[in-house]
């Protein structure tokens, strides 16, 4: 089964965003990588492949490489997103253009499978000598993910064949010839595992396993690699920092999320996917999956000893307590790393990465709101990681984290019209400071046009295009609702349809699911998430209460007739308090309603935003849904006090205050009006 | 007159610090510059001069230069501080060693007067080609200040002769040969003006005037200078930034304090000193001062049109309203720059410089407490600047600023035992973060040992050694009390003694001054500052109330008999509020009592410091003077609430709170116990 194909979205909130993907985001990004946008930073990403293809044909270099060393990945991410979009919104011309691009990519490949336009055009003799910075394996990984998407969504294997040849080339280099190295920027690990699950090609699994096993065995590996060559790329100081690229220890020994946040969560996602696969004798012949969805794990090899939760032993956690568990160490590392992020290093918006220096994690509870990095890609990667943790262990909190990152940081990364994107997602902005002074130069108060480095926009695009994979989950006998998307899920093998009516979610909290057996139903369990933010949730099945466990409500089949599952979420808004060790939030509150974190923008206030404090015992007022504002929102108002005029820099005189209401909008919608001050954490 | 000589300190608070200068600070710093401290970073500063002297004698280089390009200035600042110390605490052996060093400096000088060991030993052919980074003029300036100190305190002119030869060399290069350039790091401007006032040597005045006039005429000057040479030093990106070194506009047109904070205030101090001198026909023959103190301006040239306040025209500001004022533009720029700092860019501790990137000012109201730079040297320089503004215009607020910077940031820069120093003076510290993560690496939670770059310790030393020059001021007919130091001031030319009994200041606020005429007194006015922080001040003269104007109480002579002036300051502690635009302080209060800003350290709290909030309507409790703690302090306690245990990172549950008292100590005393959290601004 394949949720991308089997689920049809009919969601008021995400439907329009899915529509933006085909109407706006993909065309804009296609024009960008083809240098067709006047005034935008030159990309040359498509042209690099064309030039490399000409070089393969003629042996002559007619054009220089241009762009970042990872420019190829922009093409890959666009192709991946295009596959998702084409599945739902067929467009013969778009498909034709994409296939031409894929064809060019094939022509740009060396006969041995090597593919990377930077090295092909610039320094062929330097290939495979700089895994720290050169992003060869990272670009390959993204192209592999695109190949999986074309394979699964469009049954087109042209790119898959190219990337299987590329995997052969890597297999030859790393496994056969035993050359050292692994990617400074993880990504290929999770991509190879998707390739393996899609095709059953064992070389992909072996390579992924090799990269994971090799990482961090020698924390000084990148430094040695750097000294072994007479050329460098970029900021080589990171070479000496084994935390930056998460190779400070073998991955199974890692417990703290460190370094470049995107690299980290891509690695951890690969680790979690591997831990799930490694549930048993993964190299035995019967372990080859028959092809699958890449993300959902119905393809779990037969005969395994079981990390899947339907197979949970009584009394244990299911994850580590099974003595026969294949790679318990890997699973344990994943859980520790997940906790390191979500219980110590995550912004309330689901953003991660506290500093622009290395775009990195810093230390526990260091969560500055104004100098934050919180890259959109990092939250996309956190969703990848949490989704794979859900596969390992069906705890609702993993889905809560996906939801937090998706509805707040990731959606906030995109302008409402889909035309502009943030890389950095601050929780406090002052246009006099943000984007202006050196320590805040990376924090922009409004979304800019296409960047020279364009990682985030296509990452958002491919996530929006494949939301069904995140919203739904499945083990052998359970269907999971992880995220609440309205629509229709067909499960042909179970002979069942599931209709999801999620009302005005995330603004409304009354969810209605109908399980409709179309032929005598197989026995399976329907599990729907009960989010931790809902303090009082009522789940009923045909009017009867349902047992809730570890963040999911389980309704056991068989379903002989239509069955109604109703989830009434508690949509009371709440003040959120932060741990006192998070010094930046001391004495402040954030406001959350449903999955949405709110923020205050200057545009909505009569007084200076920075002069307004929440009343300690004040209420939060829920205003009616306002369809005309910011694409439709439920605004909130907070009982507050505003200071009067303040004279000078410091004063002994307590500023005069008057009661007021602080108007709040969902964080994802900020920065869509005039530029002004914004903050999530409000002094109380 | 010369306050350094004429004032004898008998102050409980500063007396022990003056004593530390001779007992601890000077010996330690001497050992440091002579590389006699085991385990400390190598300085080589004295050895550089010895090597340069050998080179001048033999023409052979026997030893490499070692250290920062401005290493010579460590020797200069030490020599300056030594002169102040030797005046009060004679020490024949110390003086002998200092004179040997001065002798070596003379031997290291080229016959034409050029002096700089970096260029002498390393790159003689490169001299005078990199004024942006090479600090040649900066080092010369510091050595000139040392020369003035030896001239004025010890009547020893050996160093003065050396530096007058150096001034000749510079005069030849810049004035006679009209070569372009001015110092990337200002300092020589104020130093040359001190030389001029001490010796009357017109070349010094002309050079200072030249450097001030040339600065910023071409904001791209340093970029052009950089392109004209084939070598660079340090971070050349600053070359392209005309704000970094305050050459974005001609100095008289500058209105916003920008760039490297130490450079800025050194420049502004030079500008203010020049504006004062330029009160008239400074180049006329009668303008030569007869020698003076360098800082106090009894040496104002006769016949001027008057920027001195005794000559203030009725109804005007005195500064700019006099049409004949010599350099009103310069004075106006100084005032604007002073206001730019103190009303928009100064920490409540008197610290300046909000970012470590360029050690610089950022933008108005950007005053982060944890990533702050607030270099000790910058506050020393702010005191230099404010002192010279007082000479321009007797407004108490200039003295208030000196006091704020001195009693808080500068004193906090030094360990109580005088053995260790901070460069960076944060207003919030968390040892898990400060000094650890990249954006906070410069913010140390405890004072380190001697640095390789040792600018701050000797800067504090020379300030502590010359406090009398800051505490007292004089115009032709007025004696000013700027800072309250207990002691005895002899004024032989007026035939008067002033005895200052300042009680337990800064902890006590009852000040008693006795004006004792020893022979029929000349007519003069005694003016004593009334600080703005004292909301209710009573000043009486022999029991009668006294008029207060612009921050000074004026008592007019003649004084025919002993006259008692009593100042009763309001020592009530206050909560300080910050302008809402200072986002880092929103919803927070600082606590001030007298001139002292307080802070809270973890060591004094029963609960986690970061979990404690001030009660909005709570009081501040003044505890008895505690002579056993931190060298003797008056602790304060603030009515507060502490949160109970907090589980996890975020919570909807309002943390349980219990009433408590937050214990506060003076900011200057922080970091003298075990390392822990500290903060000045307390959430309320």
């Amino acid at each position: 089964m394949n949720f991308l194909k089997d689920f049809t979205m009919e969601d008021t909130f995400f439907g329009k965003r899915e529509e933006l993907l085909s109407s706006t985001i993909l065309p804009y990004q296609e024009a960008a990588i083809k240098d067709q946008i006047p005034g935008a930073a030159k990309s040359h990403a498509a042209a690099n492949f064309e030039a490399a293809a000409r070089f393969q044909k003629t042996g002559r270099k007619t054009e220089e490489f241009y762009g970042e060393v990872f420019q190829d990945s922009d093409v890959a991410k666009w192709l991946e997103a295009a596959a998702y979009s084409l599945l739902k919104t067929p467009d013969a011309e778009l498909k034709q253009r994409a296939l031409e691009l894929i064809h060019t990519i094939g022509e740009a490949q060396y006969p041995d499978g090597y593919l990377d336009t930077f090295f092909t055009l610039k320094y062929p003799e330097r290939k495979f000598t700089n895994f720290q910075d050169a992003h060869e394996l990272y670009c390959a990984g993204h192209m592999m993910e695109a190949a999986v998407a074309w394979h699964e969504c469009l049954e087109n294997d042209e790119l898959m064949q190219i990337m299987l040849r590329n995997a052969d080339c890597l297999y030859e280099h790393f496994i056969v010839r035993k050359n050292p190295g692994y990617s400074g920027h993880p990504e290929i690990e999770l991509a190879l595992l998707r390739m393996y699950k899609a095709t059953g090609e064992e070389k992909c699994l072996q390579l992924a396993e090799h990269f994971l096993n090799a990482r961090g065995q020698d924390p000084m590996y990148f430094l040695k690699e750097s000294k072994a060559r007479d050329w460098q790329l970029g900021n080589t100081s990171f070479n000496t920092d084994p935390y930056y690229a998460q190779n400070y220890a073998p991955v199974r020994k890692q417990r703290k999320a460190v370094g470049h946040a995107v690299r980290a969560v891509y690695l951890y996602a690969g680790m979690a996917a591997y831990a799930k696969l490694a549930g048993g004798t993964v190299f035995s012949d019967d372990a080859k999956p028959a092809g699958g969805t890449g993300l959902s794990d119905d393809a779990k090899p037969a005969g395994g000893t079981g990390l899947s939760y339907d197979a949970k032993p009584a009394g244990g956690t299911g994850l580590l307590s099974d003595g026969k568990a294949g790679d318990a160490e890997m699973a344990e590392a994943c859980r520790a790393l997940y906790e390191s992020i979500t219980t110590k290093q995550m912004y309330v918006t689901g953003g991660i990465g506290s500093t622009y220096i290395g775009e990195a994690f810093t230390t526990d509870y260091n969560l500055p709101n104004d100098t934050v990095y919180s890259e959109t890609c990092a939250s996309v990667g956190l969703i990848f990681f949490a989704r794979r943790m859900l596969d390992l262990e069906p705890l609702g909190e993993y889905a809560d984290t996906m939801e937090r990152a998706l509805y707040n940081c990731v959606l906030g990364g995109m302008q409402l019209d889909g035309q502009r994107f943030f890389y950095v997602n601050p929780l406090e902005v002052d246009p006099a400071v943000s984007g202006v002074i050196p320590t805040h130069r990376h924090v922009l108060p409004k979304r800019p046009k296409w960047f020279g480095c364009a990682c985030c926009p296509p990452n958002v695009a491919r996530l929006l295009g494949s939301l069904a994979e995140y919203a739904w989950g499945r083990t052998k006998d359970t269907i999971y609702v992880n995220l609440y998307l309205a629509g229709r899920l067909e499960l042909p093998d179970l002979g069942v349809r599931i209709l999801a009516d999620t009302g005005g979610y995330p603004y409304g909290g009354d969810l209605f699911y109908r399980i409709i057996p179309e032929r005598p139903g197989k026995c399976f369990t329907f599990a729907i998430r009960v989010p931790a933010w809902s303090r009082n949730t009522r789940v009923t099945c045909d009017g009867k209460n349902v047992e809730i466990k570890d963040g999911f409500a389980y309704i056991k089949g068989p379903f002989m007739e239509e069955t109604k599952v109703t989830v009434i979420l508690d949509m009371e808004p709440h003040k959120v308090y932060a741990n006192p060790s998070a010094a930046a939030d001391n004495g402040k509150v954030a406001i959350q309603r449903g999955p949405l974190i709110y923020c205050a923008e200057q545009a909505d206030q009569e007084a200076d935003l920075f002069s307004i404090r929440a009343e300690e015992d004040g209420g939060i007022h829920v205003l009616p849904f306002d369809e005309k504002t910011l694409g439709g929102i439920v605004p909130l108002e907070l009982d507050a006090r505003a200071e009067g005029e303040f004279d000078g820099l410091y004063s002994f005189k307590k500023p005069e205050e008057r009661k007021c209401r602080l108007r709040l909008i969902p964080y994802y919608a900020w920065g869509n009006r005039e530029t002004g001050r914004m903050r999530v954490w409000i002094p109380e």
Side-chain angles (χ1 to χ4, degrees), chain A:
Chain A
M1 58 164 293
N2 176 331
F3 292 121
L4 295 174
K5 286 185 175 172
D6 298 341
F7 180 65
T8 304
M9 183 139 72
E10 291 157 358
D11 193 276
T12 52
F13 189 77
F14 273 109
K16 60 190 171 192
R17 288 172 170 84
E18 193 178 66
E19 192 275 323
L20 279 180
L21 179 60
S22 57
S23 69
T24 303
I25 306 176
L26 274 180
Y28 189 87
Q29 295 183 0
E30 182 183 7
I33 61 176
K34 294 181 175 173
D35 294 311
Q36 294 162 347
I37 302 173
K42 183 175 161 185
S43 160
H44 211 258
N48 287 333
F49 280 106
E50 287 158 16
R54 278 194 297 278
F55 168 70
Q56 295 296 349
K57 271 184 247 176
T58 66
R60 282 198 311 272
K61 285 180 194 165
T62 55
E63 206 171 346
E64 285 291 300
F65 175 89
Y66 178 89
E68 300 282 344
V69 69
F70 46 81
Q71 207 77 352
D72 288 0
S73 64
D74 289 352
V75 173
K77 281 190 274 189
W78 180 80
L79 282 172
E80 184 183 350
Y84 303 137
S85 176
L86 285 168
L87 172 62
K88 294 297 171 187
T89 314
D91 177 336
E93 288 181 27
L94 171 64
K95 186 172 182 183
Q96 185 53 36
R97 292 196 304 277
L99 282 170
E100 282 165 19
L101 196 48
I102 289 172
H103 191 67
T104 304
I105 291 168
E107 291 178 337
Q109 191 170 35
Y110 278 84
D112 71 352
Y114 184 82
L115 177 67
D116 185 295
T117 72
F118 172 79
F119 285 100
T120 302
L121 294 173
K122 256 183 128 94
Y123 308 110
E125 73 287 0
R126 291 181 178 175
K127 70 172 187 176
F128 290 155
T129 58
N130 185 345
F131 294 114
Q132 161 69 24
D133 294 320
H135 288 69
E136 264 161 316
L137 301 177
Y138 168 86
C139 290
H142 273 302
M143 202 61 86
M144 288 175 185
E145 290 205 87
V148 171
W150 279 78
H151 170 87
E152 292 183 345
C153 296
L154 306 173
E155 274 116 36
N156 182 304
D157 272 1
E158 185 171 350
L159 190 54
M160 182 59 85
Q161 294 309 319
I162 294 168
M163 295 318 294
L164 284 173
R165 283 198 297 276
N166 185 252
D168 285 342
C169 167
L170 301 180
Y171 191 87
E172 179 70 18
H173 182 80
F174 290 101
I175 308 294
V176 177
R177 302 198 184 181
K178 299 187 194 304
N179 286 304
Y182 45 87
S183 188
H185 195 318
E187 151 68 23
I188 196 165
E189 301 80 1
L190 73 90
L192 283 163
L193 294 173
R194 287 185 70 183
M195 292 269 284
Y196 169 66
K197 294 207 279 186
T199 67
E201 180 53 63
E202 258 194 28
K203 283 182 179 174
C204 294
L205 176 61
Q206 278 184 266
L207 269 169
E209 184 176 50
H210 169 75
F211 289 140
L212 291 173
N213 287 343
R215 190 171 211 92
Q217 296 296 341
D218 175 3
M220 290 296 108
Y221 169 70
F222 287 128
L223 181 63
K224 291 172 187 167
E225 184 194 85
S226 164
K227 288 188 171 162
R229 63 179 179 260
D230 59 358
W231 61 283
Q232 304 297 337
L233 280 171
N235 185 340
T236 55
S237 73
F238 292 130
N239 283 325
T240 59
D241 178 2
Y243 293 91
Y244 175 67
Q246 300 82 39
N247 62 322
Y248 65 98
V251 296
R252 289 176 186 77
K253 302 296 180 198
Q254 297 190 17
R255 291 294 178 272
K256 183 173 177 345
V258 297
H260 187 274
V262 177
R263 294 176 193 231
V265 283
Y266 280 22
L267 173 65
Y268 308 154
M271 288 163 63
Y274 180 81
K276 171 72 176 173
L277 270 178
T281 52
V282 289
F283 294 112
S284 71
D285 281 347
D286 59 350
K288 279 186 202 168
T293 63
L295 275 173
S296 69
D297 282 303
D298 51 338
K300 184 173 65 71
T305 57
L307 288 180
S308 71
Y309 299 89
D310 36 334
K312 193 190 281 199
T317 63
L319 183 60
L320 307 169
S321 60
D322 180 347
K324 290 174 291 177
D327 202 338
E329 262 196 303
M330 186 71 93
E332 192 179 336
C334 289
R335 188 193 268 177
L337 292 165
Y338 173 85
E339 287 184 0
S340 170
I341 294 173
T342 57
T343 69
K344 306 236 173 71
Q345 303 194 79
M346 182 178 70
Y347 286 91
V348 73
T349 55
I352 52 174
S354 297
T355 180
Y356 69 100
I357 299 176
E359 307 175 345
F361 289 109
T362 55
T363 194
D364 292 348
Y365 304 109
N366 174 242
L367 294 161
N369 294 306
D370 59 339
T371 56
V372 47
Y373 202 73
S374 182
E375 185 178 339
T376 309
C377 282
S379 287
V380 170
L382 177 59
I383 292 170
F384 295 167
F385 178 32
R387 178 67 188 82
R388 286 163 175 83
M389 290 306 291
L390 262 180
D391 279 341
L392 262 184
E393 188 174 31
L395 301 180
E397 65 165 280
Y398 296 126
D400 288 356
T401 295
M402 286 205 296
E403 186 180 60
R404 184 190 292 275
L406 174 63
Y407 281 85
N408 299 292
C409 185
V410 172
L411 286 190
M414 184 171 80
Q415 198 160 278
L416 289 174
D417 63 8
Q419 295 195 357
R420 290 169 175 241
F421 292 82
F422 278 131
Y423 277 47
V424 169
N425 296 280
L427 284 78
E428 179 164 305
V429 150
D430 179 352
V433 174
S434 312
V436 176
I437 69 172
T439 47
H440 294 60
R441 204 153 279 159
H442 60 293
V443 184
L444 303 182
K446 64 182 277 196
R447 296 171 187 80
K449 279 191 156 187
W450 189 260
F451 293 76
C453 164
C455 58
C456 296
N459 233 349
V460 174
R462 70 191 184 119
L463 179 66
L464 288 179
S466 57
L467 272 185
E469 288 287 354
Y470 300 87
W472 299 92
R474 180 164 177 188
T475 57
K476 202 168 56 184
D477 62 3
T478 305
I479 299 294
Y480 288 96
V481 179
N482 302 321
L483 302 176
Y484 311 120
L485 296 188
R488 197 172 66 248
L489 180 67
E490 307 281 350
L491 297 164
D493 65 321
L494 296 178
V496 81
R497 276 200 301 162
I498 297 174
L499 300 187
D501 171 6
T502 58
Y505 197 81
Y507 293 109
D510 297 348
L511 315 174
F512 305 99
Y513 282 76
R514 288 160 64 199
I515 301 163
I516 305 171
E518 305 210 323
R519 50 188 163 87
K522 281 197 190 176
C523 187
F524 72 97
T525 297
F526 178 78
I528 184 161
R529 178 176 62 106
V530 177
W533 54 255
S534 174
R535 314 275 310 261
N536 295 294
T537 305
R538 199 155 53 88
V539 186
T540 54
C541 177
D542 289 336
K544 282 177 288 215
N545 283 338
V546 170
E547 185 202 11
I548 296 170
K549 191 180 165 207
D550 293 339
F552 280 96
Y554 290 87
I555 296 107
K556 289 212 164 64
F559 300 96
M560 303 310 291
E561 55 190 12
E562 178 172 327
T563 304
K564 288 198 182 103
V565 178
T566 302
V567 180
I568 308 297
L569 298 169
D570 177 352
M571 297 300 280
E572 271 301 297
H574 289 277
K575 291 184 176 176
V576 183
Y577 302 87
N579 190 297
S581 288
D585 304 331
N586 287 171
K588 299 177 187 169
V589 291
I591 307 298
Q592 180 170 359
R593 179 172 182 269
L596 300 179
I597 300 297
Y598 277 67
C599 70
E601 283 196 305
Q602 185 61 62
D604 289 316
Q605 321 306 331
E606 282 172 33
D608 171 8
L609 172 59
F610 285 3
S611 77
I612 304 177
R613 289 205 273 179
E615 286 276 16
E616 190 173 358
D617 300 314
I620 311 170
H621 307 274
V622 181
L623 274 62
F625 183 76
D626 174 356
E627 66 182 354
K628 292 197 179 133
T629 298
L630 295 167
I633 61 170
V634 169
L636 301 179
E637 284 183 356
L638 190 61
D639 288 332
R641 280 183 278 166
E643 288 179 8
E645 282 293 294
F646 193 99
D647 194 26
L649 182 52
Y650 302 112
S651 172
F652 287 169
K653 200 177 145 215
K654 190 176 171 65
E656 303 250 328
E657 288 181 320
R658 59 177 179 77
K659 281 184 183 295
C660 72
R661 283 190 172 188
L662 180 69
R663 182 108 172 185
L664 302 164
I665 62 165
Y667 175 78
Y668 75 76
W670 86 274
N672 281 280
R673 298 176 295 185
E674 68 264 44
T675 301
R677 288 176 172 172
M678 181 278 287
R679 68 171 29 150
V680 170
W681 288 95
I682 314 293
E684 189 188 59

